[in-house]
Amino acid sequence: MKKLILWAGMAASLLVVGCAENHQKEITVIPAPLGVELQEGTFRLNAQTALWVDAPQEDKQKLEACLAASPVKLSLAMQEPRDNAVILKQVETLSGVSSPEGYVMSVSSGQVKIEATTGAGLFYGLQTFLQMAVGTGELPAGTIVDEPRFAYRGMMLDVSRHFFDKEFVKKQMDALSYYKLNRLHLHLTDAAGWRIEIKKYPRLTNFAAWRESPTWKEWWNGNRQYKEEGDKDAYGGYYTQDDIRELVAYAQERYITLIPEIEMPAHSEEVLTAYPELSCTHEPYKQADFCVGNEKTFEFLEDVLTEVMELFPSEYIHVGGDEAGKASWPTCKLCQVRMKKEGLKDVNELQSYLIHRMEKFLNAHGRKLLGWDEILEGGLAPNATVMSWRGTEGGMKAINAGHQAIMTPGEFCYFDSYQDAPDSQPEAIGGYLPLSKVYSYNPVPDTLSQDKVPLIYGVQANLWAEYIPTPEHMEMMIYPRILALAEVAWSSPLVKDYGNFHARALKAVEELQAKGYHPFDLKNEIGNRPGSDEPVEHLAIGKKVTYAEGAAYYPGYAAGGDDALVNGIRGGWTYGDKLWQGFIDKKGVDVVIDLEEEMPIHSVGADFMQVCGPGVFMPAEVIISASTDGEEFTELARIAHEVVKDDKVTFKNFGWEGETTARYVRYQATYGPFGGFLFTDEIVIK
Ligand code: ACM
């Protein structure tokens, strides 16, 4: 029999194989398996196909339940069948597989056999089988040897900014586990609402879980008031401890670990309004950070974590740690006393005092601390694991100090960004993170030495929910991008290929829709901003640009520096893509381009963008002028623009068309009434 062998390294051809009979066989599994060896022949499911699970009782139950809940219907065999069967077998050792989550699946015309050394491995083999069987019920004969690249494959859901009930969370766990993700991190607490019942502190859920406005945006831009549970128009909700137990059990059935996040010392306005004595000034509605000088803070946090640990078996407990303003600490007597007594030289060290203490507490209870990368500031707690969100520097720093890191950089892993042309999407926080960009992420930085790679524990997508008020919208932001993240987390870079993945993702979107999910409509994706993928040709390319005094570009948005506006490269859908140059200096934009010789010119123009949330506005006026000597300029156009605030991301060209002769072109743009940034990407002269 002719055998076609395909192993990692043959990315493009991995999943599509021409057979002897000259028809195509496809394995459209997500994430792409590591090694696939296909043979001639097919296994066909029919009404008599039986399931036989040979695994410890607990795993056997989970695996049988998973199959029973799937669209693939098999009968349970009473004894091990020989033929027409799907057999799942836990074995002592498995050659070619080193991860406990790996599996080997052998398919012949008579049976499908999945072997693994753990229940998790069998579960992942089963997901591969289900993805292959769905639809036609036919599987090509052959062998799949598969294991994950990373042990931690996660998704974070923000259930504070908007509350999503337990049924929503369960539904997402069904899909996450189908794509072999194994961690679900719940952001349970934040200013916008506390979402977990803590028996010892009832105000957290009968007050701090409820607010005035149903949308975060209205609430945040308004008075940010909380409400009593049961008040007319109170918006919010929380998980009772029974709900949490139900979610934990549901997760365990799918080999998912639920990781709770309890924010400290910041993002805690809701707690400090319910229990103002835990803030520095003891005033409700005034503070975001706990008072670190007050022992009551530690009593509260330890009490909360004690109840949290009773509910969540997760080895890791996430303590947040991000974005502490620390505003009241320098003037708080108790904080100052604490700093003196503990020999802490600044407020960063005061924050790390809190984190270290909480780590000791968690460690003493057999748990480990996980936190956002700010927990590095002021000294990292001894056994902490860092979630690197502000780029990968935090993760690298943690790794270089011998700690584990989970990579979740905003640029690739923040699913609250737009996934397509902003004007085709509901309002998002900004940014642009299409499927292809998520897919392109490699969590192992090139600069990392080989011996440190094992310290990269894994990768996670984060979905912050400020602008996501409904479950349907939440799902649209998750899918299909989480499928790309799943492949980043599971598959070897050697088997990754975006074109191939895209085809599988299109199919997966249809499958998700059929199952009642609301994925983004990938087949109608618009893609990047027109013109941003192809360089523009024009007269100023590579010419010298002189920036006027008081019109320097902002170093954080340099877009490569002095030639950014004449390099032929347009920006994309976000000013954060390093292709847009940002101005916040006194005069706005004021540049002169020297074309090196006098020449006829017919048009001068530049695009600007507006995103009001982060303070990016259109110019109020643009002046375009030209000169033959660089001294005397003649005004070609003066364009006034009324800058109006809106909720959209908009782009506008400000230009002149006509006939003139010039060597020098001056382009000026001034700020409107709201100040903020001006962003432009290219001054196109033709
Ligand atoms: C974060 O995005 N503040 C972790």
Side-chain angles (χ1 to χ4, degrees):
M1 185 185 274
K2 190 173 159 205
K3 225 174 176 188
L4 294 153
I5 300 178
L6 296 142
W7 285 104
M10 305 169 71
S13 59
L14 174 69
L15 304 165
V16 181
V17 179
C19 281
E21 308 97 67
N22 206 21
H23 68 256
Q24 297 267 297
K25 286 186 176 180
E26 284 183 54
I27 294 180
T28 56
V29 174
I30 292 176
L34 181 63
V36 179
E37 177 187 318
L38 293 185
Q39 296 172 335
E40 286 171 28
T42 304
F43 176 84
R44 290 190 177 83
L45 284 156
N46 59 30
Q48 281 72 46
T49 307
L51 173 73
W52 175 254
V53 181
D54 180 1
Q57 192 55 25
E58 196 183 321
D59 293 309
K60 184 172 155 70
Q61 273 173 1
K62 291 182 191 177
L63 296 160
E64 287 175 355
C66 170
L67 204 109
S70 82
V72 178
K73 299 298 171 212
L74 302 181
S75 55
L76 290 184
M78 303 310 283
Q79 58 187 40
E80 184 166 351
R82 282 167 171 258
D83 268 331
N84 197 13
V86 176
I87 295 169
L88 274 60
K89 201 169 229 157
Q90 187 164 324
V91 292
E92 286 289 313
T93 56
L94 199 54
S95 84
V97 169
S98 56
S99 161
E101 294 179 300
Y103 65 93
V104 175
M105 182 167 111
S106 323
V107 181
S108 67
S109 55
Q111 62 169 226
V112 175
K113 186 175 191 180
I114 299 168
E115 291 178 306
T117 59
T118 65
L122 291 176
F123 182 82
Y124 295 126
L126 182 59
Q127 304 318 306
T128 296
F129 163 76
L130 291 174
Q131 288 191 30
M132 290 169 74
V134 87
T136 63
E138 292 191 1
L139 283 81
T143 306
I144 293 178
V145 180
D146 195 15
E147 62 181 345
R149 184 178 182 202
F150 296 106
Y152 185 114
R153 305 179 299 278
M155 162 115 233
M156 186 219 73
L157 296 179
D158 170 8
V159 293
S160 170
R161 271 52 175 263
H162 292 99
F163 180 62
F164 298 91
D165 67 16
K166 68 177 179 196
E167 295 310 323
F168 176 85
V169 177
K170 286 184 189 173
K171 184 179 173 193
Q172 308 324 309
M173 287 199 269
D174 289 342
L176 296 179
S177 60
Y178 191 55
Y179 299 109
K180 302 190 176 81
L181 292 156
N182 64 357
R183 299 289 192 283
L184 178 61
H185 161 183
L186 293 177
H187 185 73
L188 290 166
T189 73
D190 213 302
W194 180 279
R195 305 289 178 218
I196 174 172
E197 180 188 19
I198 300 295
K199 301 271 189 206
K200 196 159 182 187
Y201 297 95
R203 293 292 287 159
L204 292 173
T205 42
N206 65 28
F207 176 69
W210 304 93
R211 66 171 190 241
E212 262 183 352
S213 312
T215 67
W216 173 87
K217 191 175 155 186
E218 250 181 297
W219 176 78
W220 190 254
N221 293 333
N223 296 323
R224 302 187 193 174
Q225 296 293 299
Y226 301 100
K227 288 215 164 204
E228 296 293 336
E229 182 175 16
D231 274 0
K232 191 174 159 294
D233 300 333
Y235 168 87
Y238 58 89
Y239 307 113
T240 64
Q241 296 206 345
D242 281 343
D243 290 341
I244 296 286
R245 278 186 274 270
E246 202 177 314
L247 287 174
V248 165
Y250 200 87
Q252 285 174 332
E253 282 159 20
R254 286 152 187 78
Y255 298 89
I256 289 176
T257 303
L258 266 192
I259 298 178
E261 179 185 352
I262 305 294
E263 274 275 20
M264 61 188 80
H267 285 278
S268 298
E269 289 92 332
E270 84 292 21
V271 180
L272 303 176
T273 299
Y275 295 97
E277 64 273 24
L278 303 176
S279 73
C280 290
T281 65
H282 297 196
E283 297 163 286
Y285 290 111
K286 285 275 157 59
Q287 320 264 307
D289 306 331
F290 283 95
C291 174
V292 188
N294 189 345
E295 272 306 298
K296 275 199 176 148
T297 291
F298 292 91
E299 203 180 298
F300 171 85
L301 292 173
E302 290 180 7
D303 286 343
V304 168
L305 290 181
T306 299
E307 291 194 34
V308 164
M309 285 187 290
E310 278 164 13
L311 293 166
F312 290 90
S314 167
E315 178 186 23
Y316 283 95
I317 305 291
H318 201 303
V319 299
D322 58 319
E323 299 180 310
K326 307 168 183 123
S328 55
W329 297 353
T331 51
C332 167
K333 268 205 189 100
L334 289 179
C335 286
Q336 291 307 306
V337 169
R338 173 84 72 198
M339 286 173 69
K340 217 179 205 156
K341 181 158 166 255
E342 301 292 337
L344 309 171
K345 69 173 191 307
D346 57 25
V347 288
N348 285 341
E349 291 196 357
L350 188 58
Q351 161 146 344
S352 67
Y353 169 83
L354 176 132
I355 300 290
H356 282 226
R357 250 182 92 166
M358 297 327 294
E359 178 176 46
K360 269 202 197 124
F361 179 76
L362 291 173
N363 288 170
H365 291 80
R367 306 302 179 94
K368 291 184 177 166
L369 180 142
L370 184 55
W372 301 112
D373 57 51
E374 286 92 334
I375 65 168
L376 285 154
E377 290 162 11
L380 190 55
N383 305 309
T385 293
V386 168
M387 245 179 205
S388 192
W389 72 279
R390 296 175 300 176
T392 51
E393 297 79 29
M396 291 291 275
K397 220 167 146 184
I399 287 167
N400 285 323
H403 293 256
Q404 280 192 318
I406 295 158
M407 295 304 198
T408 180
E411 190 183 346
F412 297 96
C413 298
Y414 269 41
F415 285 13
D416 47 342
S417 299
Y418 286 100
Q419 65 192 310
D420 202 1
D423 63 1
S424 71
Q425 300 295 299
E427 185 183 11
I429 203 159
Y432 174 53
L433 179 58
L435 187 70
S436 57
K437 184 150 187 192
V438 179
Y439 195 78
S440 72
Y441 183 49
N442 182 359
V444 178
D446 294 341
T447 50
L448 191 66
S449 63
Q450 211 47 39
D451 59 315
K452 300 244 166 71
V453 172
L455 289 172
I456 297 193
Y457 190 21
V459 56
Q460 175 170 294
N462 296 331
L463 183 49
W464 302 102
E466 284 93 335
Y467 291 87
I468 312 178
T470 67
E472 293 76 17
H473 188 175
M474 198 80 164
E475 288 184 356
M476 195 270 274
M477 301 302 268
I478 300 173
Y479 309 103
R481 287 185 290 187
I482 198 64
L483 278 54
L485 197 281
E487 194 144 318
V488 166
W490 179 282
S491 304
S492 160
L494 298 171
V495 300
K496 281 180 67 193
D497 174 82
Y498 185 67
N500 184 292
F501 169 76
H502 186 263
R504 284 178 285 135
L506 284 171
K507 197 165 166 269
V509 163
E510 281 181 18
E511 192 181 337
L512 283 162
Q513 282 165 336
K515 286 176 172 169
Y517 291 85
H518 301 84
F520 164 69
D521 181 14
L522 183 63
K523 71 177 184 308
N524 289 317
E525 182 181 20
I526 294 164
N528 209 350
R529 187 167 165 250
S532 62
D533 293 330
E534 290 277 307
V536 261
E537 275 302 319
H538 63 95
L539 298 173
I541 300 258
K543 299 294 191 281
K544 184 170 163 41
V545 181
T546 305
Y547 292 80
E549 178 103 13
Y553 51 82
Y554 181 71
Y557 293 110
D562 285 5
D563 70 346
L565 301 181
V566 291
N567 62 4
I569 300 171
R570 286 194 191 276
W573 293 125
T574 170
Y575 63 86
D577 64 6
K578 301 186 177 78
L579 301 174
W580 289 87
Q581 197 162 65
F583 296 82
I584 200 169
D585 203 359
K586 294 183 286 293
K587 287 166 82 179
V589 179
D590 188 357
V591 293
V592 172
I593 299 163
D594 178 0
L595 298 171
E596 292 169 9
E597 57 187 308
E598 216 172 289
M599 58 183 74
I601 58 174
H602 314 293
S603 68
V604 178
D607 290 348
F608 285 78
M609 77 181 300
Q610 177 163 304
V611 202
C612 299
V616 177
F617 292 99
M618 290 290 172
E621 187 176 63
V622 165
I623 304 167
I624 300 165
S625 39
S627 162
T628 50
D629 60 7
E631 303 283 332
E632 293 281 320
F633 280 83
T634 306
E635 192 171 299
L636 301 176
R638 182 177 285 259
I639 307 151
H641 176 70
E642 188 187 353
V643 185
V644 179
K645 278 194 180 175
D646 57 21
D647 292 337
K648 302 187 190 86
V649 180
T650 49
F651 299 83
K652 184 170 166 58
N653 185 272
F654 292 83
W656 161 85
E657 280 184 21
E659 297 298 330
T660 193
T661 303
R663 171 173 167 175
Y664 300 91
V665 173
R666 184 175 181 188
Y667 196 103
Q668 295 163 272
T670 54
Y671 303 107
F674 311 113
F677 268 99
L678 294 174
F679 271 92
T680 187
D681 58 343
E682 185 78 6
I683 297 176
V684 177
I685 304 178
K686 290 191 168 165

